[in-house]
Amino acid sequence: MSEKAGFFAEKTGSLHLAYTDLELQVVEEYVAAMSGIKSAELLNPEQTVKKSPAANPKGLKGALWTEEEVIVDPREAIFKTAKYLESLPNVEFI
C-alpha cells in the first residue's frame, strides 16, 4: 500500500525476546502455527544476540523473529491511503 499511496514505509521485522519457559513455549507454538502462512522463526539465544546486540543475553531462552513488520508514520499513512483509495472508482470518504 505504501508504494501505491506514496508514503514512507521501512521494513524492519520484529524481534520478541523470551526469558521464561512459558514465553518460549508461546514463541514455539506461534512459529508452528504460522508455518507456511507467514514468516515466523524461532531463534536461539546466540542467533538473537547476533540479530540484535541490544538484547540482554542473561537468562535469554530464545526469540521470535518475523519479517513482515514495517515502520510508518501513521498520520501520513492514513492520510495518503485515504487519498489513494478515494482516487479509485466508486470510493468516497465523508
Side-chain angles (χ1 to χ4, degrees):
M1 181 55 71
S2 66
E3 292 175 9
K4 291 179 180 180
F7 60 87
F8 173 80
E10 179 183 0
K11 288 185 174 186
T12 58
S14 183
L15 187 64
H16 304 270
L17 308 179
Y19 287 96
T20 69
D21 290 335
L22 182 57
E23 290 171 337
L24 186 60
Q25 180 183 347
V26 170
V27 169
E28 291 169 342
E29 290 176 8
Y30 183 83
V31 169
M34 292 298 109
S35 179
I37 299 172
K38 62 182 280 184
S39 78
E41 182 180 351
L42 173 62
L43 302 180
N44 65 36
E46 294 77 23
Q47 292 168 314
T48 303
V49 172
K50 185 175 181 183
K51 179 75 73 178
S52 175
N56 182 357
K58 185 176 180 182
L60 182 63
K61 295 186 180 276
L64 166 65
W65 168 252
T66 59
E67 296 179 355
E68 286 84 7
E69 285 74 21
V70 297
I71 293 175
V72 300
D73 174 344
R75 292 170 293 191
E76 179 191 26
I78 291 168
F79 174 77
K80 289 188 174 179
T81 297
K83 190 173 179 179
Y84 165 73
L85 291 174
E86 194 169 44
S87 74
L88 300 176
N90 302 315
V91 177
E92 180 181 358
F93 284 89
I94 298 174

